[in-house]
Every structure is written in structure tokens, then in C-alpha cells.
């Protein structure tokens, strides 16, 4: 009896001990948010530099003061995930918005500006729009319970709320100016909407989906989709809006009936409104932009004029970059006409695999919309858009992903005659002519800014060249199709065109920067050989990091493809101090030619943007950084890039590390690698298939490609067409080969197509099953990109600790592992 009591007591003590150990382990597994060293934390907490918006006349600048990273308490607010949307049920707006917290106006010729008065006490501003005549500015302000419309007068710099209605912003831009600048078309919360439907906890029956034999629907792995009838009711309730014309005095005139309004766009002359309404049947397979869509024209007074189209549910759109829905699509107003609608119809059933000489046709119908539509354009590839100009001049743009071709044609909108202006590979960055300068016409719509000579300014804000990125402005003659370069950015600055202030006098607005000088705005006269005039004076956001060394590297990988990377070195570092521990940060890209893959990107003269988001942040911790290292995956001719993905991936990374070693700044025995999203996928593959790195950091990635069976990234073949490619590229399938420490970070609410949080969870379990050194960190409430201040600080803390343990001090980590002190990382 005594023995039994003793045994029971021992078992009880063992149970208490086990519970204590278990609770201790759980406490370690769920730590509080941590803060990294101050140099890293400052990158998160520093105030952002304001954004700038120019008036159409180019005489006024609007400064948009950006909010810093929100607190995790904001992300923890109620959020509904419905039909591919994430919305705030409390105020009928998006649930993950980054707001503007202040507005300031400044004349271009003045040094100081004036803050706009009349803002709410705690402004949360979004959807800022200049009026067509430039005299007013509309913006929305969000509160805990509603979103209101405000109008600011430019002359007085004073704002006031308009009307007593609330805005519905669940489906994008909630209002647009009418061309008279005296009213707006607004999506409002319907009067008498009633209480929200209760979420049903007890199902009426099973949720079912059915496919008829022979009907194909190869959908991507969308997230946040509708799942049951209760979701459908919630979706319909929160997205339903009433379109209304709202005067500056707050007077409201309803247009049509309440509905799930995807868009509401007034005609250029302000006499009509095109309203696009989503309706049933809803889908559990695709998001809202594939739901049945009715396109209608209403008179501005409110009556229905014409139903343009009522399209079906689009669940079977071919899963390809060149795949589009069948039937009429993309209804838009012509910018150069008072009230003319144009739209596109695929001629190949939207399927790029179908052979067709003409892929798309474009049709138009003019007010009063009683005549039959007229064909105006036939596209060899997928039609993208028109850049409208005058009654005799417009530009049409086509694009075809499979051969990377882009075509721009000059079009006469009276005769509809065309001639090819540009026919090129859009992968070829060196031949990119830039974007045409646009101006606002009498309707307040953007059209080509044609000079009397028949020429137009072309702005290229990147300016890729063999010497690196050098933005430029050129003059294009649409008659001769010849270009003349007017100005190009030159050392020691990186300067890019932002807007044309006077096309005739060739005066432009630019931003100019150097590695140690924050971008600021300048007025440049391209005709006069005088220094540009600085008009903004934003200070260096983190002056403590002035002196970070930066160098643009150029090198080759084994197959001769030329590569680039940006090398960052710590402040005060000298080569005599010896090579440094190194962190490589990258994101792979696919190409159809080695020539395009070899083109130089980046500039050594750009400002050292040491963001908390990428790898460059860790130059503050004493690392050499190989940032934005080019990782091209090339598939020429009939070959697909991913057929040799692993080989090209490893070869590119090795070339970057070897170049750093050759320069004497990279310690090859202490190199780490990291990336986000597809860069995380890259990281896991590099650790699996090479011995180049001591540790890796993979954020928000996908690791098992069988979970994205109908394609991923730029891979258009399905799993059943290329199973060996999917398996070879999946780190999950090769988890038994992983021998290098890997930190996995993922947002618990990731809604990016393909990167379900389960990707990291299952990969971690696989790695742990094979005894690999790994750690999984889930960030609460975070999506594919992380926004909360606490999350960002903790992310940097995790990354810094991992790099310090396994890259900067790999010998100590190895000894600790052998001694059983580190284990597999919990």
C-alpha cells in the first residue's frame, strides 16, 4: 500500500513537473513583441517624408503628410474577408488603409506653404483628388463609424465637410469629380439600409459546389473568398451603395437604384454617368471582379439611358497573363469626346492558346447610345488602352506576354487608320521610349499634350542604359517617328522627370537626389543651360546614416549572363579592416532572352533609402549588403525559364558572392540570404541546393507548388503539364536536403494569391521532421506585407538575432548546436 502511494505521488510530481516545463516552453514560444537595436528601430519610427501632388496648371504643390506605421491595436479591429475584399464593417471602408494625416498647399514660387485648415481633429485622409479646374481638392476622412466627404478651397486653404451622408468605400474609389468642378459622383450608404445581417452560426445545410462535365475553370489560389450563404449576405450588405450627384453645397441627387457598385464614372461632358453593378450569382471560386457585371448609362438627372452589357460569372477565364474574359469588357469613356464609350471584345474566346490573327477588337458607341456599336480598332495582341489626343491623333497600346512584345500605334480617330510607332520587347529596358506627356482638356480628362509642330514630349523616369539608370526626356515627332533627346540625368545626381510644367518652353519638374541627399523637387528649363531651381527642402530622414557606402556592381555568372547588384558598406568601413559578414537580398525575375536579362539596372547616384523592409537595413549592424542582386531565370525560344530554375538560381547567387569576395569586402564563410514572397521561395531553394550560405530568412513565401497547381508567378503550365518542374522547384519536396538554418516569417492573415500561411506552417513541420535548424514566426493580423509598428520592430528583431547567431557568428552557433543548446529552433 505504501509502495502504491509512493508511486502515485511520484507520478503526480512528474505530472506537475511536466506541466511546469510545458507551460515554460509555451511561454517561450509566445513571447511579447520585441524591439531591435536602436539603429534598426529608428528606420521604423522615423516620420515619413511627405508625398507631393501637383495642380494641373503646375503652379501649386499639395503636400500629403503620411501617417507612420499604425499600432497593432488598429489591425486588431474587426475585419471582414469577403469575395477577395478586406473591409471594415464599422465604417464601410477598407480595413488596411495607410492614411494621410495632414495637407499643406504651397505655390511653386514660394518657399513656405500653408497648412489646410478645417481638418478633423484626428484626420485619417484618403482618396485625395484635385477638381478639374484646380480650384478645389476633395478628400475622404475616416472615423470609427463612417467615412465623410470634405472639400478644400485652394485659394483660402480651408476645408469643410460636405453633406450629412456617409461614403461607401468598400469597392475602391468612392467618388469622382464632374467636369464642371461644381459637383461629384459619389457612392453613398443607402438611406434606410437597416441593421447588418446576423452571422449565421448554425448552417441550414452543407455548402456545395458543382462543375458540369467538360466545363473548365482553372482558377488561381485566391484567398478571402465567399464560403457560404451567410458570407453572401454580409458581402451584399456592406458593398451595396447608392450612386448620387453631390453638389458643393451638399445637395444630393440619387442616380439609379442601390446596388453593389463596382464603379460610377461621369462622362467627360458631365451629362451622363456610367455605372457598373455586380450581381448574383456570386462565386466561391473567384473574387468580386469576376462576378456578373452589368454596365449601364444613366442621365446625370438619374434616369436609365442604356444598358451596355450584362456579363456572366467569369469562373473559366484561362489562367494566363494573356487570358481574358469572353464577351465585352473594360468599358470606358473616351477622354477626347463629350460622351462616347469604348470597350474590348476578345476574338479568341480569351484563350491565348487559340490561334488567331486578331486577338481583340475595340468598339465604340456615342451618345445618345441609340445606334449600334462601331468597330474602331483591331489588335494583333491583347489591347491595353488608348492614349487619346485630338480628333486626328491618338495612341493605341497592345501587349502579349508569351513573347514579351509590346506595340504602340498611331491612330487617327476620324478615319481609324493606323501606323506602327513602336514594336519592341518590353523586356528590353534600353529601348523603352518612356511615357507621353499628358495634359487635361476642357473636360478635365487626360489627353496627349501635342505641340503645334506635331511633336510630343516623352518622359522616361527610369532611363535604363548600359551606364545604369539615367532618366531622360525626349521629343518625339509623330510624323517622322524620330526622337530627339532633350535632357538626361547625369552624375553625380539621379534626377527623374515628374511633370511637364510648360511643354512649349520645355520646362519640367524633377526630383533630384544623391546617395546622401534626400530626393527634393526642382524646376528645370531644358532649353536654358542653367542650374535647376530647388522648390522643396525635405531633410535627410535618418542623418545618422549619412556616409553609408554604396557601389553598383557588375559581374557575370558562369553562362555569361551579365548581372548587377547594389553593394552597401557600413559607415566608416575600410577594406583594411578585412571582409565583412554579408547579407544578400534578392527577388528572381524571368526573361525570354539572355540579352534582356543582362541589362544593367539601378544607379549608384540614387539616395541611400535604408528602408526597414529590405536587406539594406542591416548595413547598420555591420554587414556588407548585396542588395537587389539580379537573379534572372532565362528561357530562350521554346524553352521555359523554370526548366532550369535551380541551376540558374544557384549560379546567379554564386556570382554575386564571388564578386564581393573578389572586391575583398565579403567573407565567403559568413554569408546569409533573404527575401520576401517570391524572394522567400528563392531563399529556401538556395539553402536547399547550395552551400553558399550560413543562414537564410524567408518572409511570406510559398514552398509547396502543388498547392498552386494551375501556375505560379510567371509559370503558366499546370502541375499536370510539368510535374517535374513543380516538384524540383518546391523546397517542401526537398525538405530532407535542408542543412542550413532558416528563419520563416509569415503574416497570419496573408491574402496574397498562392502564399497561404499554411505554406510556411507545413514547410516548418517538414524541416523540423528532418531535424533542420529552423524557426517559424507568425505575425498576428498581418497580411502579405506587414504594417503594424510592433510587427515591423519584431520582424527586425527576429532577423537581426538570426543573422547574428548563424551568419555573423556561425562557429559559435555550430558549437552550441553540437552541444545540444540550440536544438531545432522553436
Amino acid at each position: 500500500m505504501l509502495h502504491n502511494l509512493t508511486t502515485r505521488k511520484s507520478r503526480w510530481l512528474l505530472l506537475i513537473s511536466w506541466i511546469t516545463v510545458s507551460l515554460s516552453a509555451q511561454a517561450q514560444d509566445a513571447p511579447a513583441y520585441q524591439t531591435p537595436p536602436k539603429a534598426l528601430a529608428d528606420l521604423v519610427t522615423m516620420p515619413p517624408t511627405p508625398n507631393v501632388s501637383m495642380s494641373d496648371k503646375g503652379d501649386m504643390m499639395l503636400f500629403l503628410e503620411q501617417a507612420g506605421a499604425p499600432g497593432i491595436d488598429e489591425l486588431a479591429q474587426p475585419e471582414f474577408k469577403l469575395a477577395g475584399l478586406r473591409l471594415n464593417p464599422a465604417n464601410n471602408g477598407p480595413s488596411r488603409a495607410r492614411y494621410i494625416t495632414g495637407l499643406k498647399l504651397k505655390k511653386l514660387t514660394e518657399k513656405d506653404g500653408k497648412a489646410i485648415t478645417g481638418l478633423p481633429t484626428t484626420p485619417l485622409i484618403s482618396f485625395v483628388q484635385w477638381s478639374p479646374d484646380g480650384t478645389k481638392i476633395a478628400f475622404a476622412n475616416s472615423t470609427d463609424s463612417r467615412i465623410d466627404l470634405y472639400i478644400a478651397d485652394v485659394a483660402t486653404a480651408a476645408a469643410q465637410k460636405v453633406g450629412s451622408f456617409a461614403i461607401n468605400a468598400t469597392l475602391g474609389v468612392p467618388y469622382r469629380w464632374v467636369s464642371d468642378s461644381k459637383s461629384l459622383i459619389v457612392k453613398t450608404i443607402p438611406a434606410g439600409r437597416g441593421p447588418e445581417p446576423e452571422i449565421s452560426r448554425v448552417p441550414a445545410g452543407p455548402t456545395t459546389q458543382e462543375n458540369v462535365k467538360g466545363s473548365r475553370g482553372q482558377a488561381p489560389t485566391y484567398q478571402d473568398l465567399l464560403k457560404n450563404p451567410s458570407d453572401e449576405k454580409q458581402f451584399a450588405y456592406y458593398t451595396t451603395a447608392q450612386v448620387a450627384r453631390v453638389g458643393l453645397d451638399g445637395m444630393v441627387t440619387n442616380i439609379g437604384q442601390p446596388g453593389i457598385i463596382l464603379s460610377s464614372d461621369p462622362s467627360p461632358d458631365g451629362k451622363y454617368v456610367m455605372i457598373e453593378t455586380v450581381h448574383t450569382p456570386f462565386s466561391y471560386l473567384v473574387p468580386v471582379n469576376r462576378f456578373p457585371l452589368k454596365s449601364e448609362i444613366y442621365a446625370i438627372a438619374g434616369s436609365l439611358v442604356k444598358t451596355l452589357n450584362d456579363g456572366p460569372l467569369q469562373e473559366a477565364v484561362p489562367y494566363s497573363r494573356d487570358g481574358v474574359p469572353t464577351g465585352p469588357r473594360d468599358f470606358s469613356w473616351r477622354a477626347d469626346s463629350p460622351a462616347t464609350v469604348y470597350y474590348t471584345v476578345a476574338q479568341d474566346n480569351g484563350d491565348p492558346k487559340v490561334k488567331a490573327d486578331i486577338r481583340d477588337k475595340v468598339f465604340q458607341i456615342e451618345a445618345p447610345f441609340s445606334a449600334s456599336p462601331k468597330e474602331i480598332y483591331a489588335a494583333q495582341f491583347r489591347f491595353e488602352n488608348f492614349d487619346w489626343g485630338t480628333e486626328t491623333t491618338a495612341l493605341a497600346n497592345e501587349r502579349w506576354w508569351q513573347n514579351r512584345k509590346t506595340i504602340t500605334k498611331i491612330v487617327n480617330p476620324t478615319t481609324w487608320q493606323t501606323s506602327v510607332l513602336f514594336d519592341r520587347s518590353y523586356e528590353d529596358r534600353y529601348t523603352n521610349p518612356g511615357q507621353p506627356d499628358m495634359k487635361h482638356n476642357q473636360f478635365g480628362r487626360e489627353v496627349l499634350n501635342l505641340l503645334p509642330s506635331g511633336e510630343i514630349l516623352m518622359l522616361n523616369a527610369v532611363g535604363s542604359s548600359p551606364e545604369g539608370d539615367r532618366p531622360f526626356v525626349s521629343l518625339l515627332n509623330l510624323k517622322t517617328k524620330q526622337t530627339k533627346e532633350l535632357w538626361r540625368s547625369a552624375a553625380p545626381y539621379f534626377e527623374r522627370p515628374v511633370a511637364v510644367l510648360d511643354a512649349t518652353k520645355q520646362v519640367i519638374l524633377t526630383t533630384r537626389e544623391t546617395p546622401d541627399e534626400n530626393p527634393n523637387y526642382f524646376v528645370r528649363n531644358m532649353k536654358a543651360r542653367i542650374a535647376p531651381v530647388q522648390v522643396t527642402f525635405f531633410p535627410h530622414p535618418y542623418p545618422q546614416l549619412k556616409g553609408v557606402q554604396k557601389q553598383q556592381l557588375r559581374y557575370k555568372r558562369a553562362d555569361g549572363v551579365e548581372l548587377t547588384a547594389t553593394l552597401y558598406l557600413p559607415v566608416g568601413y575600410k577594406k583594411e579592416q578585412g571582409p565583412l559578414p554579408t547579407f544578400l537580398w534578392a527577388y528572381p525575375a524571368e526573361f525570354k532572352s539572355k540579352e534582356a536579362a543582362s541589362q544593367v539596372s539601378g544607379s549608384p547616384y540614387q539616395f541611400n533609402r535604408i528602408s526597414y523592409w529590405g536587406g539594406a537595413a542591416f548595413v547598420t549592424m555591420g554587414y556588407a549588403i548585396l542588395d537587389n542582386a539580379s537573379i534572372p531565370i532565362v528561357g530562350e525560344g521554346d524553352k521555359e525559364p523554370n526548366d532550369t530554375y535551380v541551376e540558374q538560381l544557384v549560379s546567379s547567387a554564386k556570382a554575386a558572392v564571388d564578386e564581393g569576395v573578389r572586391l575583398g569586402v565579403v567573407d565567403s564563410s559568413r554569408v546569409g540570404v533573404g527575401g520576401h514572397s517570391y524572394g522567400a521561395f528563392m531563399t529556401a531553394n538556395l539553402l536547399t541546393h547550395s552551400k553558399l550560405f550560413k543562414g537564410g530568412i524567408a518572409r511570406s513565401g510559398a514552398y509547396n507548388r502543388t498547392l498552386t497547381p494551375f501556375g505560379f508567378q510567371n509559370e503558366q503550365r499546370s502541375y499536370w503539364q510539368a510535374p517535374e518542374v513543380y516538384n524540383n522547384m518546391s523546397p517542401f519536396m526537398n525538405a530532407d536536403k535542408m542543412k542550413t538554418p532558416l528563419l520563416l516569417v509569415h503574416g497570419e492573415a496573408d491574402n496574397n494569391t498562392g502564399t497561404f500561411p499554411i505554406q510556411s506552417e507545413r514547410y516548418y513541420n517538414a524541416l523540423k521532421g528532418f531535424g533542420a535548424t529552423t524557426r517559424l514566426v507568425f505575425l498576428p493580423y498581418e497580411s502579405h506585407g506587414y504594417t503594424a509598428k510592433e510587427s515591423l520592430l519584431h520582424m527586425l528583431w527576429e532577423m537581426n538575432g538570426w543573422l547574428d547567431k548563424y551568419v555573423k557568428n556561425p562557429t559559435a552557433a555550430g558549437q552550441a548546436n553540437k552541444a545540444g543548446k540550440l536544438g531545432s529552433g522553436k
Side-chain angles (χ1 to χ4, degrees):
M1 185 70 174
L2 181 61
H3 173 77
N4 289 339
L5 287 173
T6 303
T7 301
R8 290 176 184 174
K9 184 177 181 181
S10 299
R11 289 175 178 172
W12 179 251
L13 290 174
L14 285 172
L15 178 60
I16 294 295
S17 177
W18 179 84
I19 291 173
T20 302
V21 171
S22 177
L23 289 174
S24 175
Q26 289 178 16
Q28 292 174 2
D29 288 347
Y33 286 107
Q34 302 295 319
T35 301
K38 186 176 185 300
L40 288 173
D42 286 347
L43 301 179
V44 175
T45 58
M46 65 182 180
T49 299
N51 286 329
V52 175
S53 175
M54 291 296 301
S55 66
D56 183 43
K57 296 179 181 178
D59 60 339
M60 296 291 294
M61 307 181 82
L62 176 64
F63 292 82
L64 310 166
E65 297 172 359
Q66 303 176 75
I72 193 66
D73 57 323
E74 292 186 38
L75 266 66
Q77 296 300 310
E79 175 184 65
F80 284 2
K81 303 172 184 179
L82 302 167
L85 303 174
R86 291 194 168 181
L87 55 89
N88 183 340
N91 68 5
N92 274 91
S95 60
R96 293 171 179 267
R98 292 296 292 268
Y99 293 106
I100 296 160
T101 56
L103 299 171
K104 183 179 179 181
L105 282 165
K106 184 182 93 69
K107 289 184 178 179
L108 198 63
T109 55
E110 295 178 344
K111 184 174 182 179
D112 298 318
K114 178 189 290 187
I116 292 180
T117 61
L119 302 182
T121 305
T122 307
L124 297 174
I125 295 169
S126 58
F127 303 113
V128 178
Q129 297 180 26
W130 289 88
S131 64
D133 64 6
T135 63
K136 299 172 183 65
I137 297 166
F139 61 91
N141 183 72
S142 298
T143 70
D144 290 340
S145 59
R146 57 186 286 133
I147 303 175
D148 294 308
L149 176 66
Y150 280 73
I151 302 293
D153 182 78
V154 173
T156 61
Q160 63 179 4
K161 186 162 76 85
V162 176
S164 58
F165 58 86
I167 290 173
N168 190 324
T170 54
L171 286 171
V173 179
Y175 50 81
R176 296 188 185 277
W177 281 98
V178 178
S179 56
D180 61 6
S181 296
K182 297 178 181 179
S183 58
L184 302 95
I185 302 300
V186 186
K187 291 190 281 188
T188 67
I189 302 294
R193 179 174 65 166
E196 65 275 11
E198 293 185 9
I199 299 176
S200 176
R201 300 298 181 188
V202 180
T207 298
T208 61
Q209 299 184 59
E210 183 177 0
N211 189 61
V212 178
K213 184 178 181 179
S215 177
R216 295 191 176 189
Q218 299 181 358
T221 50
Y222 294 117
Q223 302 196 47
D224 297 344
L225 300 178
L226 300 178
K227 297 180 178 64
N228 51 54
S230 180
D231 279 357
E232 294 188 47
K233 292 178 182 178
Q234 298 287 331
F235 165 73
Y237 177 82
Y238 288 107
T239 56
T240 294
Q242 172 67 62
V243 176
R245 182 185 186 187
V246 176
L248 299 183
D249 58 359
M251 183 176 178
V252 176
T253 302
N254 288 340
I255 302 174
Q257 298 299 313
I260 303 173
I261 310 300
L262 193 64
S263 66
S264 53
D265 189 13
S267 61
D269 64 3
K271 295 181 179 180
Y272 303 94
V273 181
M274 180 162 54
I275 298 177
E276 295 195 303
T277 308
V278 168
H279 61 82
T280 57
F282 300 149
S283 172
Y284 296 178
L285 185 64
V286 294
V288 60
N289 61 343
R290 297 282 187 88
F291 289 5
L293 185 66
K294 181 184 289 187
S295 302
E296 299 173 303
I297 301 293
Y298 284 81
I300 195 73
S303 60
L304 176 66
V305 175
K306 175 78 172 182
T307 297
L308 298 171
N309 186 57
D310 193 354
L313 177 65
Q314 297 285 353
E315 285 188 336
V317 176
Y319 185 35
S320 166
R321 291 291 183 99
D322 298 319
V324 295
T326 57
R329 70 179 195 273
D330 301 334
F331 289 84
S332 300
W333 294 108
R334 275 185 57 168
D336 64 334
S337 178
T340 299
V341 172
Y342 70 101
Y343 60 92
T344 308
V345 181
Q347 304 300 295
D348 55 6
N349 293 322
D351 188 350
K353 295 179 181 179
V354 173
K355 292 184 179 181
D357 294 330
I358 299 298
R359 294 287 176 181
D360 280 338
K361 286 186 177 181
V362 183
F363 299 82
Q364 75 171 22
I365 180 170
E366 304 175 26
F369 312 106
S370 55
S372 298
K374 174 185 176 182
E375 180 185 332
I376 60 174
Y377 186 82
Q380 176 184 351
F381 299 139
R382 283 286 172 249
F383 175 75
E384 285 201 304
N385 66 291
F386 282 116
D387 292 317
W388 298 103
T390 66
E391 61 183 10
T392 59
T393 305
L395 299 179
N397 300 290
E398 304 176 25
R399 193 178 178 98
W400 194 245
W401 180 85
Q402 293 188 57
N403 61 8
R404 311 305 198 265
K405 291 280 283 186
T406 179
I407 294 178
T408 299
K409 294 181 181 179
I410 302 173
V411 180
N412 184 322
T414 299
T415 65
W416 297 107
Q417 292 180 326
T418 67
S419 63
V420 175
L421 179 62
F422 303 120
D423 184 348
R424 49 181 290 274
S425 167
Y426 62 77
E427 283 188 339
D428 184 359
R429 291 166 290 178
Y430 292 174
T431 62
N432 186 344
Q435 298 298 315
D437 176 40
M438 309 293 284
K439 68 175 183 179
H440 286 90
N441 61 10
Q442 70 272 29
F443 304 123
R445 299 296 178 111
E446 283 196 339
V447 295
L448 295 171
N449 190 5
L450 290 163
L451 297 172
S453 59
E455 297 172 307
I456 187 171
L457 293 177
M458 300 290 290
L459 282 65
N460 191 314
V462 178
S464 297
S465 77
E467 294 78 40
D469 291 348
R470 295 182 60 200
F472 64 86
V473 177
S474 61
L475 192 64
L476 171 63
N477 189 310
L478 293 177
K479 296 178 181 178
T480 66
K481 302 179 184 178
Q482 299 298 308
T483 59
K484 175 185 177 183
E485 188 173 291
L486 300 178
W487 166 84
R488 183 182 284 264
S489 177
Y493 302 107
F494 179 81
E495 189 172 358
R496 62 182 181 88
V498 175
V500 175
L501 302 180
D502 190 319
T504 303
K505 295 180 180 179
Q506 296 182 3
V507 179
I508 61 174
L509 184 72
T510 70
T511 61
R512 194 173 79 173
E513 59 195 270
T514 71
D516 280 333
E517 295 176 3
N518 198 29
N520 270 291
Y521 287 80
F522 290 75
V523 174
R524 175 177 285 278
N525 188 319
M526 295 185 293
K527 283 186 175 180
R529 295 186 177 276
I530 57 175
V533 178
Q534 186 171 351
V535 293
T536 65
F537 300 87
F538 300 129
H540 197 297
Y542 25 81
Q544 71 275 21
L545 296 183
K546 279 188 175 182
V548 166
Q549 302 170 60
K550 179 181 181 181
Q551 181 180 349
Q552 188 179 44
L553 305 184
R554 302 183 188 183
Y555 49 96
K556 292 183 178 181
R557 72 183 187 191
D559 62 357
V561 174
E562 297 182 2
L563 307 176
T564 60
T566 301
L567 172 67
Y568 290 95
L569 297 170
V571 175
Y573 169 76
K574 297 180 180 179
K575 284 188 178 181
E576 302 85 76
Q577 296 173 294
L580 296 170
T582 301
F583 190 32
L584 184 150
W585 188 266
Y587 190 96
E590 293 86 351
F591 294 88
K592 289 300 291 180
S593 73
K594 289 184 178 180
E595 290 75 19
S598 294
Q599 291 184 347
V600 177
S601 64
S603 168
Y605 307 113
Q606 286 181 278
F607 178 61
N608 288 338
R609 291 177 179 83
I610 312 298
S611 168
Y612 57 73
W613 191 244
F618 292 90
V619 73
T620 63
M621 296 290 100
Y623 292 87
I625 307 297
L626 293 168
D627 194 39
N628 197 28
S630 53
I631 309 284
I633 310 298
V634 184
E636 295 187 301
D638 295 332
K639 297 180 180 179
E640 291 294 332
N642 286 338
D643 290 343
T644 53
Y645 171 84
V646 171
E647 295 87 342
Q648 295 190 65
L649 188 73
V650 174
S651 181
S652 297
K654 183 178 185 302
V657 174
D658 288 348
E659 177 65 9
V661 172
R662 186 189 70 80
L663 293 172
V665 298
V666 170
D667 182 348
S668 62
S669 67
R670 295 189 296 164
V671 182
V673 61
H676 188 89
S677 194
Y678 206 55
F681 178 68
M682 168 206 75
T683 298
N685 269 304
L686 282 172
L687 299 191
T688 300
H689 299 290
S690 78
K691 297 182 179 180
L692 295 168
F693 305 102
K694 293 298 181 182
I697 299 172
R699 298 192 327 223
S700 297
Y703 310 102
N704 182 350
R705 285 305 171 190
T706 67
L707 297 179
T708 55
F710 289 110
F712 57 89
Q713 200 71 3
N714 288 321
E715 176 56 65
Q716 300 300 297
R717 296 169 294 182
S718 73
Y719 172 75
W720 296 273
Q721 292 173 301
E724 68 287 347
V725 171
Y726 277 68
N727 289 327
N728 292 340
M729 290 181 66
S730 294
F732 180 85
M733 305 303 184
N734 298 281
D736 58 325
K737 301 175 184 176
M738 174 65 80
K739 307 299 180 186
T740 309
L742 176 63
L743 171 64
L744 296 164
V745 182
H746 216 120
E748 281 188 349
D750 191 340
N751 66 337
N752 183 58
T753 301
T755 56
F756 288 88
I758 198 174
Q759 288 272 6
S760 287
E761 182 182 354
R762 290 291 181 259
Y763 186 41
Y764 169 78
N765 288 337
L767 293 177
K768 185 177 181 181
F770 285 105
T773 299
T774 183
R775 178 179 174 87
L776 173 61
V777 179
F778 272 133
L779 297 174
Y781 301 113
E782 294 292 356
S783 186
H784 192 60
Y786 321 141
T787 57
K789 180 175 66 175
E790 293 87 344
S791 301
L792 296 171
L793 292 171
H794 190 86
M795 174 194 77
L796 291 174
W797 178 81
E798 293 278 1
M799 293 175 68
N800 185 58
W802 198 260
L803 291 173
D804 187 65
K805 181 184 292 184
Y806 295 110
V807 176
K808 187 178 288 186
N809 303 292
T811 303
Q815 292 173 348
N817 266 331
K818 289 180 181 179
K821 295 179 181 179
L822 295 179
S824 61
K826 292 186 177 181

